Amino acid sequence: MVRTQHVNPSSTIEDYLMEIFNMHQDGRTVIAARLTEKMGVAAPTVWNTVHRMVRDGLVETNESKEIFLTDAGLKFAESIKRRHLLAERLLVDILGLDWADAHEEAHLIEHTISPKVEARIAEVLGHPMTCPHGNPMPGLDPSLRPRTLTLDAIAGQGGEWVIDGINEPAEDDRELMVFYQRHGLTPGARLRIIEVAGYNSTITVEVEGSPATLGMRAAENLRVVVEQPAAVR
């Protein structure tokens, strides 16, 4: 029997819900193998957790063993995601924590934020639309977001571009985040493409007068604005 009315997800379940949410947002099919890799636990542990989530009405699976959020699961997933992004904003904008460290540190406090505290943080921060890394708050109207492409996709066009943000999966790689921060490759910065070197798969850009050379992984996870939303055009 599915139970949804009195479910109060544990921090572990919230972590699973957020990862499933992130994968769906990125257009990736959610299967146990991907969760196993992401959560860093054994496959039987993942399936036991997924079965509990099915029991509690948070996710559903199909014949191909793909995993989907239910309406109740989506509500909880958006809640923990919002708390995580607000925690990042609080750490960077108010406490002055390094931009590259915010994602990891937010994981340590996101589960302790109550709805009342969440609302107060959002108010103090002026109801931000994105996290410090440029990723949108859950529920944000897509029409308010610019159209973006990753740097590797537009590199051949050359020219100057405004950075929109960093793709979510890259935030788990602290060394990559430190690289972005050190070279000023953060949301709102302008970069100019200097050289695309196909022979060694690198892209050299200039940011605030300083050059930076990106490998393909760094370029694939850096979004740039290709069209502003209608509201600001």
Side-chain angles (χ1 to χ4, degrees):
M1 181 178 178
V2 172
R3 303 180 300 175
T4 57
Q5 290 184 339
H6 304 293
V7 171
N8 185 20
S10 66
S11 59
T12 297
I13 296 298
E14 286 187 332
D15 286 341
Y16 274 77
L17 288 170
M18 186 159 67
E19 290 304 335
I20 294 170
F21 177 84
N22 288 340
M23 289 182 190
H24 280 307
Q25 289 293 102
D26 292 340
R28 290 177 288 167
T29 300
V30 183
I31 56 176
R34 285 182 175 162
L35 283 177
T36 297
E37 180 181 1
K38 188 67 178 178
M39 305 306 294
V41 296
T45 300
V46 167
W47 268 118
N48 287 338
T49 304
V50 169
H51 289 154
R52 290 202 304 273
M53 294 167 73
V54 170
R55 177 200 66 192
D56 290 338
L58 301 174
V59 300
E60 298 172 336
T61 59
N62 62 15
E63 292 181 356
S64 300
K65 296 187 177 181
E66 297 171 347
I67 302 165
F68 303 91
L69 293 169
T70 64
D71 289 344
L74 177 61
K75 180 179 178 180
F76 283 118
E78 288 183 337
S79 173
I80 186 59
K81 182 68 174 182
R82 188 178 299 108
R83 281 177 275 151
H84 176 85
L85 300 186
L86 285 172
E88 289 184 344
R89 273 288 177 197
L90 178 68
L91 291 167
V92 173
D93 296 355
I94 304 299
L95 300 183
L97 190 75
D98 266 2
W99 180 87
D101 293 329
H103 178 70
E104 183 177 345
E105 293 295 328
H107 275 309
L108 302 178
I109 62 176
E110 63 198 21
H111 301 293
T112 66
I113 298 174
S114 69
K116 182 180 292 186
V117 172
E118 176 188 333
R120 181 57 182 157
I121 292 173
E123 183 178 353
V124 168
L125 294 173
H127 300 281
M129 293 195 296
T130 70
C131 77
H133 310 114
N135 292 304
M137 295 289 170
L140 181 68
D141 184 348
S143 69
L144 299 177
R145 294 286 298 152
R147 188 169 72 86
T148 66
L149 288 172
T150 53
L151 179 60
D152 63 304
I154 55 87
Q157 301 179 39
E160 186 174 280
W161 306 84
V162 175
I163 297 174
D164 174 69
I166 311 301
N167 285 344
E168 288 274 3
E171 292 189 39
D172 288 323
D173 186 339
R174 186 179 181 279
E175 288 187 6
L176 180 56
M177 297 299 286
V178 169
F179 171 84
Y180 288 139
Q181 183 179 23
R182 184 170 65 246
H183 291 285
L185 297 165
T186 56
R190 289 184 174 273
L191 63 80
R192 183 169 64 87
I193 297 172
I194 299 175
E195 180 184 23
V196 179
Y199 66 90
N200 66 353
S201 299
T202 62
I203 300 171
T204 301
V205 302
E206 183 180 85
V207 184
E208 301 295 331
S210 298
T213 299
L214 294 79
M216 279 301 112
R217 183 162 186 270
E220 289 167 355
N221 282 289
L222 187 69
R223 300 190 309 274
V224 299
V225 176
V226 296
E227 184 181 0
Q228 292 289 351
V232 299
R233 287 208 297 266

